[in-house]
Amino acid sequence: MRFLSVFLPRLATDRLLRRRRGAAPEAFALYARVKGAERLTAVDARAQKRGLAPGMAVADARARCPALALAEADPKADAALVAGLADWGRRFTPLAAPDPPDGLLLDVTGAAHLFGGEAALLDDVESRLRALGFAARAAIAPGPALARALARFSNTRLVAAQARQEELDRLAASFPIDALVLEGEALAGMRRAGLRSIGDLLERPRAPLAARFGAQALTRLDALTCRIRDPITPRFEAPAFIAERRFPDGLTRQEDLAATLTRLASDLCPMLERAGVGARRLEAVFYRVDGAVKRITAGTSRPLRDPARLAALLAERLSAVAEEGLDTGYGFDVLQLSATEVESAVPPQTAFVAPPRGGETDEDLGDLLDRLGARLGLRRVLRLHPEAAHLPEFAIAAVPAAFGAPRPHTEKCAESAMRPLRLFERPEPIEAIALFPDGPPLKFRWRRVLREIVAFEGPERIAAPWWDDAPQQFTRDYFHAQDKNGQLFWLFREGLYGRETDNPRWFVHGLS
């Protein structure tokens, strides 16, 4: 295992100074109110040269450096920046994690050769961060705790993968006990006991150390010396299927981005085919030269591993994002395409008889759903499903088309086809006139317009669900009615006169 740790010693001040390029103050520091007093929490390099340090009172700092520029500390903004930098770190490896409050951890096992080796990778990481305006030190070691300590407490940047345990112990022995990253009380106890370095701990028997400072201290010590595996928690789960292209000059045109996504889809599909799966969700990540990271995602209505179909879907999604505004800046130098969700997919059965020319197939419908989903979102593309309910408003349900196959055609479905073309979600009350209380309507007023009925068909009686204990559940008598202007309505009278109510009410439930 190989881990790369990045230490950003001036993260808090660099965050604000990046916005002031060309107008940097003579000295700059952040402060916060601690126990009623204003104290420095971070200083930049110029302030440090003038003898300022975190923990110093603001009044003392101003007395020592009158030109000191101050800003209030913002730990939330710092944490958000570390998370954003972890996203940026995914250009080197999918396993990138924030290491708060001022670092990153990357699992670069098997990835360093893509960047010319581990030494070249360290140079690349540091130079890119410096170009973004961050002071940074990076180190690679067999364990994340050792790499973290190297970046913070040592000038050694690289520990060989074949290093023996004696060499690792000798290297760790020079670190201060702060490298253990323990809670304050355990650390203070070690200082009171005269323990200053990791070497002091390694020279002593383990049992007394555990009894006095806790088992956690030994666990951290073993992680620091790589005696135990100390995995990192990546910010995002590493996708099993990923393809990547790099461009030294960066891409800025949408056509070039779409063409690259097409090539990435061609690289990705053989991986899916070998695993016998198809993509249900894709994620394309664009790494911009200035460190910004853009993402687009697209879902599919069925498992897909056809490069042309995936490319068309991504192009549609890219166009939608570009219409909303895709800031390319100085260009994207790394593009990654991954299948974040996959599903088992069997090869299509080859038929002896060719399909009819010009006829629509399930594949055509799937392509249409995917393209609509890329524009609108797959959950917004709906399909009507018949339900086992005789009340009209519950007989049809609209469900996302991508998450369920069409249900078979049933008698209930055929019955539903006799319903009006447009069924209101809620029946609208009307004022109706009939010759007798349980007869068909002659006239009715709907939306302030009086309608005169010239023809009708019905009634179709629909009883209230007997298993439903809700009160005021009345029988409905439905009528298809046509007014003198030729408009078709679907009306119903609620309640049987004399048996359920003495004052039945009328509603319009749909239009044909």
Side-chain angles (χ1 to χ4, degrees):
M1 303 290 287
R2 305 295 286 168
F3 294 90
L4 187 151
S5 174
V6 180
F7 175 42
L8 305 164
R10 307 191 196 286
L11 175 81
T13 52
D14 288 344
R15 176 176 59 82
L16 293 174
L17 289 175
R18 292 174 71 219
R19 304 175 185 171
R20 303 182 182 182
R21 285 184 177 178
E26 185 175 342
F28 181 61
L30 302 181
Y31 72 96
R33 183 169 290 277
V34 181
K35 296 181 180 179
E38 291 183 340
R39 296 189 176 277
L40 302 185
T41 60
V43 297
D44 73 345
R46 297 184 182 189
Q48 188 177 22
K49 287 181 180 178
R50 285 164 174 75
L52 308 186
M56 182 179 291
V58 170
D60 295 340
R62 281 201 179 281
R64 184 171 296 185
C65 181
L68 177 66
L70 286 168
E72 191 170 0
D74 188 350
K76 290 184 178 178
D78 294 341
L81 179 58
V82 171
L85 287 172
D87 286 356
W88 170 86
R90 294 186 74 204
R91 66 171 51 229
F92 302 104
T93 170
L95 298 173
D99 185 18
D102 51 12
L104 309 174
L105 277 172
L106 312 179
D107 185 344
V108 296
T109 307
H113 70 282
L114 300 174
F115 305 92
E118 293 182 340
L121 175 59
L122 287 172
D123 292 340
D124 193 12
V125 170
E126 289 181 345
S127 62
R128 285 178 181 273
L129 285 171
R130 278 196 293 271
L132 296 177
F134 294 101
R137 291 205 299 268
I140 292 180
L146 180 57
R148 189 179 191 279
L150 286 173
R152 285 163 174 76
F153 305 108
S154 172
N155 292 325
T156 302
R157 302 172 70 214
L158 188 58
V159 178
Q162 302 81 13
R164 294 174 299 173
Q165 188 61 54
E166 294 79 8
E167 296 177 69
L168 298 177
D169 289 348
R170 191 163 49 250
L171 184 61
S174 60
F175 298 152
I177 56 175
D178 293 324
L180 293 175
V181 198
L182 285 172
E183 297 297 329
E185 184 56 35
L187 211 56
M190 290 182 183
R191 290 198 174 98
R192 285 196 297 270
L195 302 173
R196 295 289 183 269
S197 67
I198 301 300
D200 296 337
L201 299 177
L202 292 174
E203 292 172 355
R204 283 164 172 74
R206 294 171 61 87
L209 288 177
R212 184 166 184 179
F213 304 113
Q216 183 70 13
L218 286 186
T219 302
R220 296 287 175 82
L221 183 62
D222 290 343
L224 186 63
T225 54
C226 300
R227 283 184 168 80
I228 61 173
R229 177 174 292 183
D230 186 21
I232 66 174
T233 305
R235 179 168 160 77
F236 296 99
E237 186 177 354
F241 307 96
I242 185 169
E244 177 182 298
R245 292 287 174 108
R246 293 175 179 270
F247 303 91
D249 297 331
L251 302 179
T252 56
R253 299 193 314 157
Q254 182 181 341
E255 296 81 1
D256 295 335
L257 295 174
T260 303
L261 288 177
T262 300
R263 291 194 289 271
L264 288 175
S266 299
D267 297 340
L268 187 67
C269 286
M271 304 180 201
L272 299 173
E273 188 170 0
R274 284 194 293 271
V277 298
R280 288 301 306 267
R281 191 166 189 80
L282 298 165
E283 182 186 61
V285 187
F286 304 81
Y287 294 91
R288 219 167 57 187
V289 174
D290 62 357
V293 181
K294 303 288 183 185
R295 285 187 171 80
I296 65 172
T297 58
T300 66
S301 60
R302 75 281 195 203
L304 274 185
R305 59 182 182 225
D306 181 354
R309 285 191 164 91
L310 291 184
L313 180 61
L314 292 167
E316 192 77 30
R317 188 74 188 102
L318 181 63
S319 298
V321 173
E323 290 174 4
E324 298 170 0
L326 179 63
D327 183 8
T328 59
Y330 293 105
F332 298 104
D333 60 342
V334 180
L335 271 69
Q336 292 176 347
L337 177 65
S338 58
T340 55
E341 293 180 20
V342 298
E343 193 174 299
S344 177
V346 296
Q349 178 69 43
T350 303
F352 288 105
V353 181
R357 299 184 62 181
E360 294 182 353
T361 64
D362 291 343
E363 294 293 329
D364 297 330
L365 179 59
D367 291 343
L368 176 62
L369 292 178
D370 291 341
R371 295 189 65 182
L372 291 173
R375 284 279 177 174
L376 307 173
L378 272 181
R379 290 188 177 277
R380 295 180 180 175
V381 183
L382 305 178
R383 171 184 281 141
L384 298 180
H385 278 226
E387 297 289 332
H390 62 282
L391 289 180
E393 57 267 40
F394 301 123
I396 298 293
V399 299
F403 305 121
R407 292 184 181 172
H409 193 77
T410 63
E411 293 182 1
K412 177 62 71 177
C413 187
E415 184 180 324
S416 300
M418 302 300 292
R419 299 306 187 213
L421 294 177
R422 181 185 175 191
L423 189 71
F424 298 156
E425 185 176 358
R426 295 177 182 274
E428 297 186 9
I430 58 174
E431 299 171 5
I433 299 174
L435 277 180
F436 37 91
D438 56 352
L442 298 178
K443 298 180 181 178
F444 69 92
R445 187 181 300 277
W446 178 57
R447 296 183 180 177
R448 300 181 180 179
V449 178
L450 183 64
R451 314 277 179 170
E452 185 174 344
I453 295 177
V454 297
F456 70 89
E457 183 182 30
E460 175 191 1
R461 178 160 295 177
I462 300 178
W466 57 267
W467 57 89
D468 191 348
D469 296 332
Q472 302 294 328
Q473 291 285 331
F474 295 134
T475 302
R476 297 177 181 180
D477 281 342
Y478 277 89
F479 296 89
H480 289 280
Q482 180 180 4
D483 70 0
K484 64 180 182 181
N485 296 322
Q487 287 187 276
L488 300 175
F489 299 89
W490 203 43
L491 315 175
F492 73 86
R493 182 180 55 238
E494 186 182 65
L496 299 179
Y497 179 74
R499 284 186 284 174
E500 295 178 344
T501 178
D502 293 334
N503 186 24
R505 297 190 302 166
W506 285 88
F507 295 86
V508 172
H509 204 168
L511 304 174
S512 296

